[in-house]
Structure formats: structure tokens, C-alpha cells
Amino acid sequence: AGDGDCGHTHARAARAIQEWMHTRPPPAAPAQLLSALADLLLEKMGGSSGVLYGLFLTAAARPLLNRNDLPAWADAMDAGIEAMQRYGGAAPGDRTMLDSLCAAAQALCALRSPGADLLPVLAAAVQSAEAAAEATKHMEAGAGRASYISSAQLLQPDPGAVAAAAVLRAVLEGLRS
């Protein structure tokens, strides 16, 4: 919303994740990793973003309990988004992090195709998320903190959408290295 709160909240989360990774190895099983991250963000991130990421990760862990194939990751993304929408009340087009996440999820559907290749699909998802984040610049806020601010004052892309796209880019870069 332009007041720096979103950046401070995400920086707090990043520091908490870095500290966590330095104190103990993260769980190797994907479902346990996402559940542990959910707990960490719920405890340390704060704000509505911490709650929403916690909901997202908790729901995303479920499809990964008994599977770890590429289609399961697409299912995990869909489950996380569905939880955010159900409990957060926002939808794509409301100028929130869901705009980025939903755009990425559409691209991640390609993981359900036989012979899908993770890195190119994830790269396309990141590009979609970044484009969707930029597109929020021209949207009227229908939910979230920005919905309390006059549209005339919302001159930048939604910070939550930008942050969600940045998280996805970091995942991609981490997998590439």
C-alpha cells in the first residue's frame, strides 16, 4: 500500500527462514517442509501475510503427503490458493498476492502433462506471476490493505503480488543452483 509494511513483513519472514536453516536442516520430505515453513511463518512473519502464507503452505502440504511427483506440486499450488481464497476472501483481480499466485498456478498446470520438465514450467510460472504482479498496478483494490486506500494513490503494483512473484523467482533460482 506504499507504507513499507509489506516489505518489513517479508523481510522478517526471510530472516526467520535464514535463522531456521542455520540452526537445523530443513525436513527433506516436501509435505513436512511446507508444514514446518507454515508454522514458522505463522509464528514469526506476522500480519495478514503471515497468516495467508501459513494457510497456503498448510493446505499445499496435503497433496504432497503421499506423492512427490510433478502433478502433486501443481495440486499443492491449487490447494494453497483455494485455502487463501476461502479464508482470506480475496479473488484474482482484487489486487492482491493471489493475482501472482493464480497466474503462476495456471502455468504450473503444465506439470500435469506427461513428460513435463520442471524448470521450464516453473520459469514460465515465474514469468506469469511477475507479469500479473505488474498488472496489479492498473487494478482497483477489491481486498487487502490497499482496498482502504483511494485508487488515485495506488500508483505501484501491489506489494503482496510483487512479493509472491519474488518468492517464486527465489524458488526457481534455488532449484537452478
Side-chain angles (χ1 to χ4, degrees):
D3 60 4
D5 181 60
C6 185
H8 289 292
T9 301
H10 282 81
R12 190 169 38 252
R15 285 190 299 274
I17 292 169
Q18 286 175 328
E19 289 173 21
W20 176 63
M21 291 182 67
H22 285 121
T23 59
R24 61 187 165 275
Q32 285 73 28
L33 174 63
L34 296 185
S35 293
L37 282 171
D39 292 344
L40 181 71
L41 295 180
L42 284 166
E43 179 186 341
K44 303 284 187 180
M45 187 175 191
S48 58
S49 292
V51 172
L52 290 169
Y53 279 116
L55 288 167
F56 176 90
L57 291 167
T58 298
R62 287 186 199 112
L64 298 169
L65 282 172
N66 299 315
R67 298 172 40 214
N68 188 22
D69 56 3
L70 293 181
W73 284 97
D75 295 345
M77 185 72 158
D78 290 345
I81 288 170
E82 193 274 325
M84 288 178 91
Q85 288 180 296
R86 183 172 7 127
Y87 294 109
D94 280 343
R95 195 180 200 276
T96 69
M97 68 174 86
L98 276 172
D99 292 299
S100 292
L101 294 173
C102 289
Q106 286 182 331
L108 290 176
C109 283
L111 293 176
R112 294 184 179 106
S113 300
D117 189 0
L118 175 62
L119 291 181
V121 171
L122 186 54
V126 168
Q127 289 177 336
S128 294
E130 290 171 343
E134 183 62 28
T136 63
K137 184 177 184 176
H138 307 290
M139 291 179 182
E140 179 128 357
R145 191 167 179 162
S147 66
Y148 305 118
I149 299 171
S150 165
S151 301
Q153 294 179 324
L154 296 173
L155 306 175
Q156 300 297 319
D158 179 72
V162 171
V167 168
L168 292 171
R169 166 120 352 242
V171 169
L172 174 62
E173 290 174 7
L175 289 172
R176 282 181 172 161
S177 63

